[in-house]
Amino acid sequence: MVTKIVSLKSTEDVICGLEPIRVEGQVVGYELYEPRLVSFSEVRTLAEQVDPTAVSINFRKWQLFSEDVKYQIPADWVVTICEPLPQLKLSYEEKLEEHERTMSALSE
């Protein structure tokens, strides 16, 4: 499974582990593992001024009301699949590791 940014027909951009679903050799859909919506916001200085050279990247669970970690979507809902910037990919993977550690600690 590879980490990709997937743009959906719904105009959402998610970063996730991505695996194609194949039937008789044809891609009919995709399995998204731990999808997170990706957004950004402006960074403000202490004086409440916008820093034009910086942005804050935000990750939010794609399906807030589900405890699932894997989702299957039809191929025709995918508009674009692309490689995330290295720092974005690293941030996403660090957030997932942090979440897994937290969930593991809670289940003990």
PDB file of all heavy atoms in Angstrom, residues 9-37:
ATOM      1  N   LYS A   9     -14.447  13.154  -6.549  1.00  0.00           N
ATOM      2  CA  LYS A   9     -15.496  13.853  -7.286  1.00  0.00           C
ATOM      3  C   LYS A   9     -16.248  14.840  -6.399  1.00  0.00           C
ATOM      4  O   LYS A   9     -16.757  15.853  -6.865  1.00  0.00           O
ATOM      5  CB  LYS A   9     -16.468  12.810  -7.858  1.00  0.00           C
ATOM      6  CG  LYS A   9     -17.288  13.293  -9.017  1.00  0.00           C
ATOM      7  CD  LYS A   9     -18.291  12.222  -9.427  1.00  0.00           C
ATOM      8  CE  LYS A   9     -17.734  11.315 -10.480  1.00  0.00           C
ATOM      9  NZ  LYS A   9     -18.781  10.433 -11.050  1.00  0.00           N
ATOM     10  N   SER A  10     -16.263  14.585  -5.102  1.00  0.00           N
ATOM     11  CA  SER A  10     -16.929  15.465  -4.135  1.00  0.00           C
ATOM     12  C   SER A  10     -16.119  16.730  -3.847  1.00  0.00           C
ATOM     13  O   SER A  10     -16.521  17.525  -3.013  1.00  0.00           O
ATOM     14  CB  SER A  10     -17.161  14.711  -2.835  1.00  0.00           C
ATOM     15  OG  SER A  10     -15.921  14.277  -2.303  1.00  0.00           O
ATOM     16  N   THR A  11     -14.996  16.893  -4.503  1.00  0.00           N
ATOM     17  CA  THR A  11     -14.026  17.997  -4.363  1.00  0.00           C
ATOM     18  C   THR A  11     -13.179  17.894  -3.099  1.00  0.00           C
ATOM     19  O   THR A  11     -12.441  18.819  -2.777  1.00  0.00           O
ATOM     20  CB  THR A  11     -14.663  19.413  -4.444  1.00  0.00           C
ATOM     21  OG1 THR A  11     -15.419  19.661  -3.265  1.00  0.00           O
ATOM     22  CG2 THR A  11     -15.522  19.563  -5.695  1.00  0.00           C
ATOM     23  N   GLU A  12     -13.261  16.787  -2.388  1.00  0.00           N
ATOM     24  CA  GLU A  12     -12.424  16.582  -1.213  1.00  0.00           C
ATOM     25  C   GLU A  12     -11.056  16.059  -1.655  1.00  0.00           C
ATOM     26  O   GLU A  12     -10.963  15.270  -2.592  1.00  0.00           O
ATOM     27  CB  GLU A  12     -13.061  15.569  -0.268  1.00  0.00           C
ATOM     28  CG  GLU A  12     -14.400  16.006   0.285  1.00  0.00           C
ATOM     29  CD  GLU A  12     -15.133  14.861   0.943  1.00  0.00           C
ATOM     30  OE1 GLU A  12     -15.317  13.809   0.297  1.00  0.00           O
ATOM     31  OE2 GLU A  12     -15.523  15.030   2.096  1.00  0.00           O
ATOM     32  N   ASP A  13     -10.018  16.489  -0.943  1.00  0.00           N
ATOM     33  CA  ASP A  13      -8.678  15.951  -1.137  1.00  0.00           C
ATOM     34  C   ASP A  13      -8.315  15.178   0.118  1.00  0.00           C
ATOM     35  O   ASP A  13      -8.359  15.730   1.220  1.00  0.00           O
ATOM     36  CB  ASP A  13      -7.653  17.073  -1.352  1.00  0.00           C
ATOM     37  CG  ASP A  13      -7.850  17.790  -2.672  1.00  0.00           C
ATOM     38  OD1 ASP A  13      -8.145  17.108  -3.670  1.00  0.00           O
ATOM     39  OD2 ASP A  13      -7.710  19.019  -2.709  1.00  0.00           O
ATOM     40  N   VAL A  14      -7.990  13.893  -0.049  1.00  0.00           N
ATOM     41  CA  VAL A  14      -7.612  13.075   1.096  1.00  0.00           C
ATOM     42  C   VAL A  14      -6.221  12.507   0.877  1.00  0.00           C
ATOM     43  O   VAL A  14      -5.810  12.243  -0.252  1.00  0.00           O
ATOM     44  CB  VAL A  14      -8.613  11.929   1.368  1.00  0.00           C
ATOM     45  CG1 VAL A  14      -9.975  12.457   1.745  1.00  0.00           C
ATOM     46  CG2 VAL A  14      -8.721  10.974   0.197  1.00  0.00           C
ATOM     47  N   ILE A  15      -5.503  12.355   1.974  1.00  0.00           N
ATOM     48  CA  ILE A  15      -4.235  11.647   1.943  1.00  0.00           C
ATOM     49  C   ILE A  15      -4.507  10.322   2.628  1.00  0.00           C
ATOM     50  O   ILE A  15      -5.214  10.269   3.642  1.00  0.00           O
ATOM     51  CB  ILE A  15      -3.104  12.455   2.611  1.00  0.00           C
ATOM     52  CG1 ILE A  15      -1.755  11.740   2.415  1.00  0.00           C
ATOM     53  CG2 ILE A  15      -3.397  12.748   4.064  1.00  0.00           C
ATOM     54  CD1 ILE A  15      -0.545  12.597   2.773  1.00  0.00           C
ATOM     55  N   CYS A  16      -3.995   9.238   2.049  1.00  0.00           N
ATOM     56  CA  CYS A  16      -4.331   7.915   2.573  1.00  0.00           C
ATOM     57  C   CYS A  16      -3.381   6.867   2.024  1.00  0.00           C
ATOM     58  O   CYS A  16      -2.640   7.108   1.075  1.00  0.00           O
ATOM     59  CB  CYS A  16      -5.756   7.549   2.182  1.00  0.00           C
ATOM     60  SG  CYS A  16      -6.016   7.465   0.390  1.00  0.00           S
ATOM     61  N   GLY A  17      -3.455   5.688   2.635  1.00  0.00           N
ATOM     62  CA  GLY A  17      -2.870   4.512   2.022  1.00  0.00           C
ATOM     63  C   GLY A  17      -3.839   4.095   0.921  1.00  0.00           C
ATOM     64  O   GLY A  17      -5.050   4.115   1.123  1.00  0.00           O
ATOM     65  N   LEU A  18      -3.313   3.770  -0.244  1.00  0.00           N
ATOM     66  CA  LEU A  18      -4.188   3.511  -1.395  1.00  0.00           C
ATOM     67  C   LEU A  18      -3.862   2.176  -2.036  1.00  0.00           C
ATOM     68  O   LEU A  18      -2.691   1.851  -2.269  1.00  0.00           O
ATOM     69  CB  LEU A  18      -4.023   4.629  -2.423  1.00  0.00           C
ATOM     70  CG  LEU A  18      -4.953   4.599  -3.622  1.00  0.00           C
ATOM     71  CD1 LEU A  18      -6.383   4.908  -3.196  1.00  0.00           C
ATOM     72  CD2 LEU A  18      -4.496   5.586  -4.671  1.00  0.00           C
ATOM     73  N   GLU A  19      -4.894   1.420  -2.319  1.00  0.00           N
ATOM     74  CA  GLU A  19      -4.754   0.120  -2.981  1.00  0.00           C
ATOM     75  C   GLU A  19      -5.862  -0.008  -4.022  1.00  0.00           C
ATOM     76  O   GLU A  19      -7.030   0.191  -3.712  1.00  0.00           O
ATOM     77  CB  GLU A  19      -4.889  -0.986  -1.936  1.00  0.00           C
ATOM     78  CG  GLU A  19      -4.507  -2.353  -2.405  1.00  0.00           C
ATOM     79  CD  GLU A  19      -3.014  -2.531  -2.579  1.00  0.00           C
ATOM     80  OE1 GLU A  19      -2.243  -1.987  -1.774  1.00  0.00           O
ATOM     81  OE2 GLU A  19      -2.629  -3.223  -3.535  1.00  0.00           O
ATOM     82  N   PRO A  20      -5.507  -0.326  -5.272  1.00  0.00           N
ATOM     83  CA  PRO A  20      -6.563  -0.517  -6.276  1.00  0.00           C
ATOM     84  C   PRO A  20      -7.340  -1.805  -6.017  1.00  0.00           C
ATOM     85  O   PRO A  20      -6.792  -2.780  -5.521  1.00  0.00           O
ATOM     86  CB  PRO A  20      -5.799  -0.589  -7.599  1.00  0.00           C
ATOM     87  CG  PRO A  20      -4.404  -0.953  -7.241  1.00  0.00           C
ATOM     88  CD  PRO A  20      -4.172  -0.484  -5.834  1.00  0.00           C
ATOM     89  N   ILE A  21      -8.616  -1.783  -6.354  1.00  0.00           N
ATOM     90  CA  ILE A  21      -9.469  -2.975  -6.300  1.00  0.00           C
ATOM     91  C   ILE A  21      -9.652  -3.419  -7.751  1.00  0.00           C
ATOM     92  O   ILE A  21     -10.167  -2.662  -8.578  1.00  0.00           O
ATOM     93  CB  ILE A  21     -10.829  -2.665  -5.656  1.00  0.00           C
ATOM     94  CG1 ILE A  21     -10.637  -2.167  -4.220  1.00  0.00           C
ATOM     95  CG2 ILE A  21     -11.727  -3.905  -5.685  1.00  0.00           C
ATOM     96  CD1 ILE A  21     -11.903  -1.587  -3.602  1.00  0.00           C
ATOM     97  N   ARG A  22      -9.214  -4.622  -8.053  1.00  0.00           N
ATOM     98  CA  ARG A  22      -9.263  -5.121  -9.430  1.00  0.00           C
ATOM     99  C   ARG A  22     -10.250  -6.277  -9.557  1.00  0.00           C
ATOM    100  O   ARG A  22     -10.337  -7.120  -8.684  1.00  0.00           O
ATOM    101  CB  ARG A  22      -7.889  -5.607  -9.875  1.00  0.00           C
ATOM    102  CG  ARG A  22      -6.843  -4.519  -9.893  1.00  0.00           C
ATOM    103  CD  ARG A  22      -5.486  -5.085 -10.363  1.00  0.00           C
ATOM    104  NE  ARG A  22      -4.401  -4.173 -10.103  1.00  0.00           N
ATOM    105  CZ  ARG A  22      -4.092  -3.123 -10.842  1.00  0.00           C
ATOM    106  NH1 ARG A  22      -4.801  -2.851 -11.896  1.00  0.00           N
ATOM    107  NH2 ARG A  22      -3.075  -2.351 -10.516  1.00  0.00           N
ATOM    108  N   VAL A  23     -10.967  -6.264 -10.656  1.00  0.00           N
ATOM    109  CA  VAL A  23     -11.847  -7.363 -11.026  1.00  0.00           C
ATOM    110  C   VAL A  23     -11.500  -7.722 -12.461  1.00  0.00           C
ATOM    111  O   VAL A  23     -11.586  -6.869 -13.357  1.00  0.00           O
ATOM    112  CB  VAL A  23     -13.343  -6.974 -10.892  1.00  0.00           C
ATOM    113  CG1 VAL A  23     -14.229  -8.085 -11.436  1.00  0.00           C
ATOM    114  CG2 VAL A  23     -13.692  -6.654  -9.447  1.00  0.00           C
ATOM    115  N   GLU A  24     -11.057  -8.959 -12.658  1.00  0.00           N
ATOM    116  CA  GLU A  24     -10.642  -9.436 -13.981  1.00  0.00           C
ATOM    117  C   GLU A  24      -9.628  -8.486 -14.628  1.00  0.00           C
ATOM    118  O   GLU A  24      -9.720  -8.154 -15.814  1.00  0.00           O
ATOM    119  CB  GLU A  24     -11.857  -9.638 -14.885  1.00  0.00           C
ATOM    120  CG  GLU A  24     -12.809 -10.702 -14.354  1.00  0.00           C
ATOM    121  CD  GLU A  24     -14.040 -10.871 -15.219  1.00  0.00           C
ATOM    122  OE1 GLU A  24     -14.164 -10.228 -16.283  1.00  0.00           O
ATOM    123  OE2 GLU A  24     -14.904 -11.668 -14.820  1.00  0.00           O
ATOM    124  N   GLY A  25      -8.679  -8.014 -13.812  1.00  0.00           N
ATOM    125  CA  GLY A  25      -7.607  -7.167 -14.330  1.00  0.00           C
ATOM    126  C   GLY A  25      -7.939  -5.689 -14.462  1.00  0.00           C
ATOM    127  O   GLY A  25      -7.056  -4.877 -14.694  1.00  0.00           O
ATOM    128  N   GLN A  26      -9.191  -5.313 -14.319  1.00  0.00           N
ATOM    129  CA  GLN A  26      -9.606  -3.915 -14.447  1.00  0.00           C
ATOM    130  C   GLN A  26      -9.745  -3.287 -13.057  1.00  0.00           C
ATOM    131  O   GLN A  26     -10.290  -3.899 -12.147  1.00  0.00           O
ATOM    132  CB  GLN A  26     -10.964  -3.807 -15.161  1.00  0.00           C
ATOM    133  CG  GLN A  26     -10.954  -4.329 -16.576  1.00  0.00           C
ATOM    134  CD  GLN A  26     -10.331  -3.320 -17.534  1.00  0.00           C
ATOM    135  OE1 GLN A  26      -9.317  -2.702 -17.249  1.00  0.00           O
ATOM    136  NE2 GLN A  26     -10.946  -3.154 -18.680  1.00  0.00           N
ATOM    137  N   VAL A  27      -9.286  -2.047 -12.922  1.00  0.00           N
ATOM    138  CA  VAL A  27      -9.476  -1.317 -11.671  1.00  0.00           C
ATOM    139  C   VAL A  27     -10.925  -0.831 -11.615  1.00  0.00           C
ATOM    140  O   VAL A  27     -11.361  -0.070 -12.474  1.00  0.00           O
ATOM    141  CB  VAL A  27      -8.501  -0.116 -11.558  1.00  0.00           C
ATOM    142  CG1 VAL A  27      -8.802   0.698 -10.303  1.00  0.00           C
ATOM    143  CG2 VAL A  27      -7.058  -0.595 -11.539  1.00  0.00           C
ATOM    144  N   VAL A  28     -11.654  -1.331 -10.614  1.00  0.00           N
ATOM    145  CA  VAL A  28     -13.070  -0.955 -10.464  1.00  0.00           C
ATOM    146  C   VAL A  28     -13.294  -0.046  -9.261  1.00  0.00           C
ATOM    147  O   VAL A  28     -14.372   0.500  -9.078  1.00  0.00           O
ATOM    148  CB  VAL A  28     -13.976  -2.201 -10.357  1.00  0.00           C
ATOM    149  CG1 VAL A  28     -13.919  -3.021 -11.635  1.00  0.00           C
ATOM    150  CG2 VAL A  28     -13.620  -3.040  -9.142  1.00  0.00           C
ATOM    151  N   GLY A  29     -12.273   0.086  -8.432  1.00  0.00           N
ATOM    152  CA  GLY A  29     -12.394   0.920  -7.256  1.00  0.00           C
ATOM    153  C   GLY A  29     -11.068   1.023  -6.543  1.00  0.00           C
ATOM    154  O   GLY A  29     -10.037   0.526  -7.013  1.00  0.00           O
ATOM    155  N   TYR A  30     -11.121   1.665  -5.386  1.00  0.00           N
ATOM    156  CA  TYR A  30      -9.917   1.839  -4.575  1.00  0.00           C
ATOM    157  C   TYR A  30     -10.255   1.621  -3.110  1.00  0.00           C
ATOM    158  O   TYR A  30     -11.357   1.961  -2.654  1.00  0.00           O
ATOM    159  CB  TYR A  30      -9.339   3.249  -4.742  1.00  0.00           C
ATOM    160  CG  TYR A  30      -8.817   3.489  -6.125  1.00  0.00           C
ATOM    161  CD1 TYR A  30      -9.626   4.070  -7.091  1.00  0.00           C
ATOM    162  CD2 TYR A  30      -7.527   3.122  -6.471  1.00  0.00           C
ATOM    163  CE1 TYR A  30      -9.159   4.283  -8.381  1.00  0.00           C
ATOM    164  CE2 TYR A  30      -7.047   3.328  -7.761  1.00  0.00           C
ATOM    165  CZ  TYR A  30      -7.869   3.904  -8.700  1.00  0.00           C
ATOM    166  OH  TYR A  30      -7.402   4.096  -9.967  1.00  0.00           O
ATOM    167  N   GLU A  31      -9.309   1.051  -2.384  1.00  0.00           N
ATOM    168  CA  GLU A  31      -9.436   0.960  -0.945  1.00  0.00           C
ATOM    169  C   GLU A  31      -8.566   2.058  -0.350  1.00  0.00           C
ATOM    170  O   GLU A  31      -7.383   2.163  -0.656  1.00  0.00           O
ATOM    171  CB  GLU A  31      -8.989  -0.405  -0.442  1.00  0.00           C
ATOM    172  CG  GLU A  31      -9.230  -0.581   1.042  1.00  0.00           C
ATOM    173  CD  GLU A  31      -9.075  -2.021   1.473  1.00  0.00           C
ATOM    174  OE1 GLU A  31      -7.922  -2.459   1.604  1.00  0.00           O
ATOM    175  OE2 GLU A  31     -10.110  -2.683   1.661  1.00  0.00           O
ATOM    176  N   LEU A  32      -9.201   2.888   0.480  1.00  0.00           N
ATOM    177  CA  LEU A  32      -8.507   3.973   1.155  1.00  0.00           C
ATOM    178  C   LEU A  32      -8.264   3.538   2.598  1.00  0.00           C
ATOM    179  O   LEU A  32      -9.205   3.181   3.306  1.00  0.00           O
ATOM    180  CB  LEU A  32      -9.355   5.251   1.156  1.00  0.00           C
ATOM    181  CG  LEU A  32      -9.970   5.707  -0.162  1.00  0.00           C
ATOM    182  CD1 LEU A  32     -10.794   6.969   0.053  1.00  0.00           C
ATOM    183  CD2 LEU A  32      -8.909   5.945  -1.199  1.00  0.00           C
ATOM    184  N   TYR A  33      -7.011   3.564   3.021  1.00  0.00           N
ATOM    185  CA  TYR A  33      -6.673   3.200   4.390  1.00  0.00           C
ATOM    186  C   TYR A  33      -6.338   4.461   5.175  1.00  0.00           C
ATOM    187  O   TYR A  33      -5.501   5.252   4.746  1.00  0.00           O
ATOM    188  CB  TYR A  33      -5.482   2.232   4.409  1.00  0.00           C
ATOM    189  CG  TYR A  33      -5.014   1.912   5.804  1.00  0.00           C
ATOM    190  CD1 TYR A  33      -5.751   1.047   6.613  1.00  0.00           C
ATOM    191  CD2 TYR A  33      -3.864   2.476   6.317  1.00  0.00           C
ATOM    192  CE1 TYR A  33      -5.341   0.764   7.899  1.00  0.00           C
ATOM    193  CE2 TYR A  33      -3.452   2.193   7.605  1.00  0.00           C
ATOM    194  CZ  TYR A  33      -4.192   1.332   8.393  1.00  0.00           C
ATOM    195  OH  TYR A  33      -3.786   1.061   9.672  1.00  0.00           O
ATOM    196  N   GLU A  34      -7.022   4.666   6.293  1.00  0.00           N
ATOM    197  CA  GLU A  34      -6.819   5.827   7.165  1.00  0.00           C
ATOM    198  C   GLU A  34      -6.858   7.153   6.392  1.00  0.00           C
ATOM    199  O   GLU A  34      -5.941   7.972   6.487  1.00  0.00           O
ATOM    200  CB  GLU A  34      -5.503   5.718   7.943  1.00  0.00           C
ATOM    201  CG  GLU A  34      -5.490   4.648   8.995  1.00  0.00           C
ATOM    202  CD  GLU A  34      -6.258   4.998  10.267  1.00  0.00           C
ATOM    203  OE1 GLU A  34      -6.863   6.085  10.356  1.00  0.00           O
ATOM    204  OE2 GLU A  34      -6.252   4.166  11.183  1.00  0.00           O
ATOM    205  N   PRO A  35      -7.908   7.389   5.596  1.00  0.00           N
ATOM    206  CA  PRO A  35      -7.979   8.641   4.847  1.00  0.00           C
ATOM    207  C   PRO A  35      -8.176   9.850   5.763  1.00  0.00           C
ATOM    208  O   PRO A  35      -8.932   9.788   6.728  1.00  0.00           O
ATOM    209  CB  PRO A  35      -9.187   8.446   3.933  1.00  0.00           C
ATOM    210  CG  PRO A  35     -10.045   7.456   4.652  1.00  0.00           C
ATOM    211  CD  PRO A  35      -9.098   6.554   5.389  1.00  0.00           C
ATOM    212  N   ARG A  36      -7.468  10.903   5.438  1.00  0.00           N
ATOM    213  CA  ARG A  36      -7.583  12.159   6.172  1.00  0.00           C
ATOM    214  C   ARG A  36      -7.783  13.287   5.179  1.00  0.00           C
ATOM    215  O   ARG A  36      -7.082  13.370   4.165  1.00  0.00           O
ATOM    216  CB  ARG A  36      -6.311  12.456   6.986  1.00  0.00           C
ATOM    217  CG  ARG A  36      -5.997  11.439   8.077  1.00  0.00           C
ATOM    218  CD  ARG A  36      -7.030  11.506   9.184  1.00  0.00           C
ATOM    219  NE  ARG A  36      -6.686  10.679  10.327  1.00  0.00           N
ATOM    220  CZ  ARG A  36      -7.110   9.438  10.537  1.00  0.00           C
ATOM    221  NH1 ARG A  36      -7.890   8.857   9.653  1.00  0.00           N
ATOM    222  NH2 ARG A  36      -6.779   8.787  11.620  1.00  0.00           N
ATOM    223  N   LEU A  37      -8.748  14.156   5.460  1.00  0.00           N
ATOM    224  CA  LEU A  37      -8.920  15.358   4.653  1.00  0.00           C
ATOM    225  C   LEU A  37      -7.713  16.249   4.881  1.00  0.00           C
ATOM    226  O   LEU A  37      -7.236  16.392   6.010  1.00  0.00           O
ATOM    227  CB  LEU A  37     -10.182  16.103   5.052  1.00  0.00           C
ATOM    228  CG  LEU A  37     -11.495  15.437   4.674  1.00  0.00           C
ATOM    229  CD1 LEU A  37     -12.643  16.149   5.362  1.00  0.00           C
ATOM    230  CD2 LEU A  37     -11.685  15.452   3.180  1.00  0.00           C
TER     231      LEU A  37
END
